[in-house]
Amino acid sequence: MHELSAAQEIVEILHQYLPNPKPNSVKSIKIIVGKMSNILPDSLTFCFEAITSDTSLKGAKLEIIETPVKINCSNCGNDSEIEPLVFACPVCGNNK
């Protein structure tokens, strides 16, 4: 489960910028996660809440923004969002 190590990295980055945050001073943390990162947002949230439960970050909400995979078809020129591992244009079916 690499969500745990991602949550730990988020906490470490927070502590770089806020070395000694006061309790309840951090209300939310917004992160962007790409679809190809294979991070499950629910698992990441669970891990983040677990590792911050006895710290000054307790109660801080992790706001996760998922970014889609986007392609530009070299055949028809269409810009599309696709599901990871299906690298084909949804308009014309081109996979090059």
Side-chain angles (χ1 to χ4, degrees), residues 12-22 56:
E12 287 180 24
I13 291 168
L14 283 169
H15 284 300
Q16 286 177 4
Y17 292 94
L18 298 169
N20 299 304
K22 294 178 183 168
S56 60

Side-chain angles (χ1 to χ4, degrees), residues 6-90:
Q8 290 169 327
E9 285 293 321
I10 292 167
V11 170
E12 287 180 24
I13 291 168
L14 283 169
H15 284 300
Q16 286 177 4
Y17 292 94
L18 298 169
N20 299 304
K22 294 178 183 168
N24 300 316
S25 64
V26 178
K27 301 294 182 202
S28 66
I29 300 98
K30 188 180 291 188
I31 64 168
I32 299 171
V33 175
K35 283 255 189 186
M36 290 190 66
S37 67
N38 290 324
I39 288 183
L40 301 172
D42 290 342
S43 294
L44 180 58
T45 299
F46 175 81
C47 291
F48 178 80
E49 289 172 357
I51 64 174
T52 59
S53 65
D54 292 330
T55 71
S56 60
L57 296 172
K58 179 180 180 176
K61 298 294 177 200
L62 194 58
E63 295 179 33
I64 301 171
I65 300 166
E66 284 189 277
T67 58
V69 177
K70 295 181 181 181
I71 63 165
N72 174 268
C73 181
S74 62
N75 186 48
C76 69
N78 189 54
D79 291 321
S80 302
E81 293 180 8
I82 61 169
E83 288 299 314
L85 303 178
V86 181
F87 292 98
C89 177

